Amino acid sequence: MTAEPLSPTTFGAYAAFYDALYADKDYEAEVDFLASVFERFCDVAVEHVLDLGCGTGGHTIPLARRGYEVVGLDRSAQMIDQAAEKARTAGVEARFVIGDVRDYSLERTFDAIVSMFAVVSYQLTSDDLSRMFGAARAHLNPGGLFVFDGWFGPAVLAQGPRESSKRVLTPDGDEVVRTAHPVVDESAQTVTVNYLVERMSCGAVVEATREAHAVRYLFADQIERHCEAAGFELVALGPFGDLTRAANDGDWNFSAVARAR
């Protein structure tokens, strides 16, 4: 099957369960990684950060808490609403904007742009990637950093995606069960993950939603070509959260750092 472009409803109903499903994700450790990347690779002190595909603010809020001036951008209105409410509750100042990572204009530039949790891999065509990278470059100061991650092609092909299931409890005591059925399309270089998310109360299903998330896996040469075409220099590409070695077919997720020329 051929993957369709990301639709406006992706992470729509799913957004209501997003934080519960990823409550075990160590956002603080990932922000530690981002801070170390800023210090290592940026020639000037990073003060202003744009978070592309910010979701419910998992990285935006801890970045802002550490003193960065942060703007979070996401195409899901539901996600943005949750992020803004979480920031208010936490007493953290951050700006949140609804927008497409391929096409936005904030009329300002940043010292660093981050795009975490495989947002780059949701860009399914070369044109999508070119537009995303071009928009990022247009919003970066010279020498600024674009830090992103995604699915690494050699590992996806070597390991293959598998069906999975996850169960978590919500703050109100209900149980959320998410099952994932992946379908690989090597010609399109994508994996379409078909999700069924069910909320259960007292053992009965009280709400269910289905969403299909098409994710594109990428290879090092593709990443470098898109960086160069957009006016970046690819300065690091390694396993997710670890730039001490090159990514290989054992690393499902990669992290990359590009510097604006």
Side-chain angles (χ1 to χ4, degrees):
M1 62 184 290
T2 300
E4 294 296 324
L6 183 66
S7 73
T9 56
T10 300
F11 294 111
Y14 190 18
F17 309 118
Y18 188 89
D19 284 343
L21 288 166
Y22 294 108
D24 56 349
K25 186 172 175 61
D26 195 343
Y27 288 102
E28 291 292 344
E30 293 180 16
V31 172
D32 286 342
F33 168 71
L34 291 173
S36 71
V37 168
F38 298 163
E39 183 175 355
R40 177 180 173 186
F41 292 103
C42 198
D43 295 333
V44 298
V46 173
E47 298 179 355
H48 309 288
V49 181
L50 173 60
D51 184 4
L52 292 179
C54 67
T56 63
H59 299 98
T60 313
I61 293 170
L63 280 167
R65 189 180 290 119
R66 296 183 189 208
Y68 298 102
E69 189 250 308
V70 193
V71 175
L73 182 144
D74 200 283
R75 67 182 298 169
S76 168
Q78 296 96 325
M79 293 281 200
I80 288 294
D81 286 346
Q82 290 186 48
E85 179 58 31
K86 286 166 63 177
R88 283 192 293 270
T89 300
V92 172
E93 186 173 341
R95 179 187 173 201
F96 294 97
V97 179
I98 299 171
D100 188 322
V101 299
R102 300 166 298 179
D103 182 21
Y104 58 95
S105 179
L106 301 180
E107 299 183 350
R108 57 166 296 185
T109 56
F110 298 83
D111 304 312
I113 294 177
V114 302
S115 191
M116 305 291 285
F117 219 168
V119 173
V120 163
S121 283
Y122 277 87
Q123 313 314 308
L124 301 183
T125 68
S126 292
D127 181 64
D128 291 332
L129 282 171
S130 295
R131 290 167 61 195
M132 180 182 182
F133 279 50
R137 178 62 189 89
H139 286 78
L140 269 177
N141 298 320
L145 300 181
F146 181 28
V147 188
F148 57 94
D149 60 68
W151 286 19
F152 197 48
V156 174
L157 295 181
Q159 300 176 33
R162 298 177 177 86
E163 293 192 9
S164 63
S165 180
K166 186 173 186 177
R167 294 174 177 266
V168 297
L169 291 177
T170 66
D172 58 9
D174 288 347
E175 184 178 37
V176 173
V177 181
R178 183 192 66 185
T179 56
H181 174 68
V183 178
V184 179
D185 183 347
E186 291 191 18
S187 64
Q189 206 173 298
T190 60
V191 178
T192 298
V193 186
N194 298 287
Y195 287 113
L196 170 63
V197 183
E198 298 172 301
R199 182 168 64 90
M200 305 182 70
S201 182
C202 300
V205 176
V206 295
E207 185 177 358
T209 183
R210 293 182 183 272
E211 290 190 4
H213 293 197
V215 183
R216 185 181 184 188
Y217 49 89
L218 298 169
F219 297 86
D221 60 335
Q222 293 175 318
I223 297 165
E224 186 167 19
R225 283 200 307 272
H226 281 284
C227 285
E228 291 180 351
F232 289 104
E233 174 193 7
L234 182 63
V235 295
L237 176 65
F240 179 74
D242 177 12
L243 299 178
T244 62
R245 64 174 177 84
N248 58 43
D249 63 7
D251 303 306
W252 192 279
N253 296 88
F254 69 84
S255 287
V257 182
R259 184 184 293 117
R261 293 199 184 100

Short mmCIF file of all heavy atoms in Angstrom, two decimals, residues 141-165:
data_model
loop_
_atom_site.label_atom_id
_atom_site.label_comp_id
_atom_site.label_asym_id
_atom_site.label_seq_id
_atom_site.Cartn_x
_atom_site.Cartn_y
_atom_site.Cartn_z
N ASN A 141 19.08 31.56 12.64
CA ASN A 141 20.20 32.48 12.48
C ASN A 141 21.37 31.74 11.85
O ASN A 141 21.52 30.53 12.03
CB ASN A 141 20.62 33.04 13.84
CG ASN A 141 19.51 33.85 14.50
OD1 ASN A 141 18.81 34.59 13.83
ND2 ASN A 141 19.37 33.70 15.81
N PRO A 142 22.24 32.43 11.10
CA PRO A 142 23.44 31.77 10.58
C PRO A 142 24.24 31.12 11.70
O PRO A 142 24.44 31.72 12.76
CB PRO A 142 24.21 32.93 9.94
CG PRO A 142 23.17 33.94 9.60
CD PRO A 142 22.14 33.84 10.69
N GLY A 143 24.63 29.87 11.48
CA GLY A 143 25.34 29.13 12.52
C GLY A 143 24.42 28.44 13.52
O GLY A 143 24.87 27.68 14.38
N GLY A 144 23.11 28.69 13.40
CA GLY A 144 22.15 28.05 14.29
C GLY A 144 22.02 26.57 14.00
O GLY A 144 22.42 26.07 12.94
N LEU A 145 21.42 25.84 14.93
CA LEU A 145 21.35 24.38 14.84
C LEU A 145 19.92 23.90 14.57
O LEU A 145 18.95 24.44 15.10
CB LEU A 145 21.83 23.74 16.14
CG LEU A 145 23.27 24.02 16.57
CD1 LEU A 145 23.57 23.28 17.88
CD2 LEU A 145 24.27 23.63 15.50
N PHE A 146 19.83 22.86 13.76
CA PHE A 146 18.59 22.11 13.55
C PHE A 146 18.85 20.70 14.08
O PHE A 146 19.68 19.96 13.53
CB PHE A 146 18.24 22.10 12.07
CG PHE A 146 16.96 21.37 11.73
CD1 PHE A 146 15.91 21.27 12.62
CD2 PHE A 146 16.80 20.80 10.46
CE1 PHE A 146 14.73 20.62 12.29
CE2 PHE A 146 15.62 20.15 10.11
CZ PHE A 146 14.59 20.07 11.03
N VAL A 147 18.18 20.33 15.16
CA VAL A 147 18.38 19.04 15.82
C VAL A 147 17.10 18.22 15.64
O VAL A 147 16.02 18.67 16.03
CB VAL A 147 18.69 19.22 17.33
CG1 VAL A 147 19.08 17.88 17.95
CG2 VAL A 147 19.79 20.26 17.54
N PHE A 148 17.23 17.05 15.06
CA PHE A 148 16.04 16.25 14.77
C PHE A 148 16.35 14.77 14.89
O PHE A 148 17.51 14.36 14.97
CB PHE A 148 15.50 16.58 13.37
CG PHE A 148 16.49 16.39 12.25
CD1 PHE A 148 16.56 15.21 11.53
CD2 PHE A 148 17.36 17.42 11.90
CE1 PHE A 148 17.46 15.02 10.50
CE2 PHE A 148 18.27 17.26 10.85
CZ PHE A 148 18.32 16.07 10.15
N ASP A 149 15.31 13.96 14.92
CA ASP A 149 15.48 12.51 14.97
C ASP A 149 14.44 11.85 14.08
O ASP A 149 13.49 12.50 13.61
CB ASP A 149 15.39 11.98 16.41
CG ASP A 149 14.05 12.28 17.06
OD1 ASP A 149 13.03 11.70 16.63
OD2 ASP A 149 14.01 13.08 18.02
N GLY A 150 14.61 10.56 13.83
CA GLY A 150 13.68 9.83 12.98
C GLY A 150 14.00 8.36 12.97
O GLY A 150 14.84 7.88 13.74
N TRP A 151 13.30 7.63 12.11
CA TRP A 151 13.53 6.19 11.98
C TRP A 151 14.68 5.96 10.99
O TRP A 151 14.70 6.57 9.91
CB TRP A 151 12.27 5.51 11.47
CG TRP A 151 11.18 5.39 12.50
CD1 TRP A 151 11.07 6.09 13.67
CD2 TRP A 151 10.05 4.52 12.45
NE1 TRP A 151 9.93 5.72 14.34
CE2 TRP A 151 9.29 4.75 13.62
CE3 TRP A 151 9.60 3.58 11.52
CZ2 TRP A 151 8.10 4.07 13.88
CZ3 TRP A 151 8.42 2.90 11.79
CH2 TRP A 151 7.69 3.14 12.96
N PHE A 152 15.60 5.06 11.36
CA PHE A 152 16.80 4.83 10.56
C PHE A 152 16.59 3.63 9.65
O PHE A 152 16.35 2.51 10.13
CB PHE A 152 18.00 4.63 11.48
CG PHE A 152 19.33 4.78 10.79
CD1 PHE A 152 19.58 5.86 9.97
CD2 PHE A 152 20.32 3.83 10.96
CE1 PHE A 152 20.81 6.01 9.33
CE2 PHE A 152 21.55 3.96 10.34
CZ PHE A 152 21.80 5.06 9.52
N GLY A 153 16.69 3.86 8.34
CA GLY A 153 16.38 2.84 7.35
C GLY A 153 17.10 1.51 7.52
O GLY A 153 16.46 0.45 7.47
N PRO A 154 18.43 1.50 7.71
CA PRO A 154 19.13 0.22 7.85
C PRO A 154 18.57 -0.65 8.98
O PRO A 154 18.47 -1.87 8.84
CB PRO A 154 20.57 0.64 8.12
CG PRO A 154 20.71 1.95 7.43
CD PRO A 154 19.38 2.63 7.65
N ALA A 155 18.17 -0.03 10.08
CA ALA A 155 17.64 -0.80 11.21
C ALA A 155 16.22 -1.29 10.93
O ALA A 155 15.88 -2.44 11.27
CB ALA A 155 17.65 0.05 12.48
N VAL A 156 15.40 -0.45 10.31
CA VAL A 156 14.03 -0.87 9.98
C VAL A 156 14.05 -2.07 9.05
O VAL A 156 13.31 -3.05 9.24
CB VAL A 156 13.24 0.29 9.35
CG1 VAL A 156 11.87 -0.18 8.89
CG2 VAL A 156 13.08 1.44 10.35
N LEU A 157 14.92 -2.04 8.04
CA LEU A 157 14.99 -3.15 7.09
C LEU A 157 15.60 -4.39 7.73
O LEU A 157 15.20 -5.52 7.43
CB LEU A 157 15.80 -2.73 5.87
CG LEU A 157 15.17 -1.61 5.01
CD1 LEU A 157 16.06 -1.30 3.83
CD2 LEU A 157 13.77 -1.98 4.56
N ALA A 158 16.57 -4.21 8.61
CA ALA A 158 17.24 -5.36 9.24
C ALA A 158 16.36 -6.02 10.30
O ALA A 158 16.33 -7.25 10.42
CB ALA A 158 18.56 -4.93 9.86
N GLN A 159 15.63 -5.22 11.06
CA GLN A 159 14.86 -5.75 12.19
C GLN A 159 13.40 -6.01 11.83
O GLN A 159 12.80 -6.97 12.31
CB GLN A 159 14.93 -4.78 13.37
CG GLN A 159 16.33 -4.51 13.88
CD GLN A 159 16.33 -3.47 14.98
OE1 GLN A 159 15.39 -3.35 15.77
NE2 GLN A 159 17.39 -2.67 15.04
N GLY A 160 12.82 -5.14 11.01
CA GLY A 160 11.41 -5.25 10.67
C GLY A 160 10.50 -4.83 11.82
O GLY A 160 10.78 -5.15 12.97
N PRO A 161 9.44 -4.08 11.53
CA PRO A 161 8.51 -3.67 12.59
C PRO A 161 7.65 -4.85 13.04
O PRO A 161 7.39 -5.78 12.27
CB PRO A 161 7.67 -2.59 11.92
CG PRO A 161 7.71 -2.95 10.47
CD PRO A 161 9.05 -3.56 10.21
N ARG A 162 7.22 -4.81 14.27
CA ARG A 162 6.40 -5.90 14.84
C ARG A 162 5.12 -5.33 15.44
O ARG A 162 5.08 -4.18 15.88
CB ARG A 162 7.18 -6.64 15.93
CG ARG A 162 8.47 -7.31 15.43
CD ARG A 162 9.21 -7.96 16.58
NE ARG A 162 10.40 -8.68 16.14
CZ ARG A 162 11.58 -8.11 15.96
NH1 ARG A 162 11.74 -6.82 16.21
NH2 ARG A 162 12.63 -8.82 15.56
N GLU A 163 4.10 -6.18 15.48
CA GLU A 163 2.88 -5.79 16.18
C GLU A 163 3.19 -5.64 17.66
O GLU A 163 4.03 -6.35 18.22
CB GLU A 163 1.79 -6.84 15.97
CG GLU A 163 1.29 -6.91 14.54
CD GLU A 163 0.02 -7.74 14.41
OE1 GLU A 163 -0.55 -8.12 15.46
OE2 GLU A 163 -0.40 -7.99 13.27
N SER A 164 2.49 -4.70 18.30
CA SER A 164 2.76 -4.44 19.72
C SER A 164 1.48 -4.00 20.41
O SER A 164 0.49 -3.63 19.77
CB SER A 164 3.84 -3.36 19.88
OG SER A 164 3.40 -2.13 19.34
N SER A 165 1.52 -4.04 21.74
CA SER A 165 0.39 -3.61 22.55
C SER A 165 0.93 -2.93 23.80
O SER A 165 1.96 -3.33 24.35
CB SER A 165 -0.49 -4.80 22.93
OG SER A 165 -1.58 -4.39 23.73
#
